Amino acid sequence: MPARRRTPAAEGRAALQQWLAAPEAAPRDVVRTAVRFTLEELAEVAPGNSVEVRVPPDAAVQCVAGPRHTRGTPPNVVEMDPITWLRLASGLVAWADAVTAGLVSASGERANLAGLVPLQAARVRP
C-alpha cells in the first residue's frame, strides 16, 4: 500500500523549486514543505516499514520493504537535518559523501539510501 500523501504534489514541488532557487534564502515553511514532500516521495518509491528516515523537526517516514518493527526504536534508522535531506533528495550531494562528512546518521543493515537518492521528482535539472 502506498504511503498516504499529506502534502499536495503541486505545493511540494513548488516549495522544492523555491528552495532550489535560493537555498539560503528559503523561508522555514518552504523548507518544511519541501522536506515533507520529498520524504513522501521516498516512501512512495520505496514502500515498506523496515527503515525510518527522520528529518527533525520537520518529518519522518517509514520506507523500504523488509521486516516491520512494532515497538521501540526501529532497527534501521537514518537521521539528518532538513538541508542535508534536501541536498540528498535533489542530488546536490551524494549519499556516500554525506555519510563520510558526518551529515547523516545511519544505523542498521538496511539503513543505506544510496540507491534511492536523488529522488526522480526532486532531481536537479541541468
Side-chain angles (χ1 to χ4, degrees), residues 34-58:
V35 167
R36 289 178 178 170
F37 169 70
T38 52
L39 284 173
E40 290 167 2
E41 286 288 312
L42 174 65
E44 190 169 291
V45 299
N49 296 97
S50 69
V51 178
E52 185 166 293
V53 179
R54 300 173 180 168
V55 182
D58 296 331

Side-chain angles (χ1 to χ4, degrees), residues 14-108:
L16 181 60
Q17 291 305 313
Q18 187 176 347
W19 178 81
L20 285 167
E24 300 82 22
R28 184 74 191 105
D29 62 323
V30 168
V31 172
R32 176 173 286 127
T33 300
V35 167
R36 289 178 178 170
F37 169 70
T38 52
L39 284 173
E40 290 167 2
E41 286 288 312
L42 174 65
E44 190 169 291
V45 299
N49 296 97
S50 69
V51 178
E52 185 166 293
V53 179
R54 300 173 180 168
V55 182
D58 296 331
V61 295
Q62 291 185 0
C63 57
V64 182
R68 179 186 179 113
H69 71 278
T70 56
R71 297 191 322 198
T73 301
N76 302 288
V77 176
V78 176
E79 188 168 335
M80 69 206 81
D81 66 89
I83 300 307
T84 298
W85 167 246
L86 290 175
R87 292 180 74 219
L88 281 166
S90 61
L92 295 174
V93 67
W95 173 259
D97 294 339
V99 171
T100 300
L103 300 172
V104 172
S105 170
S107 63

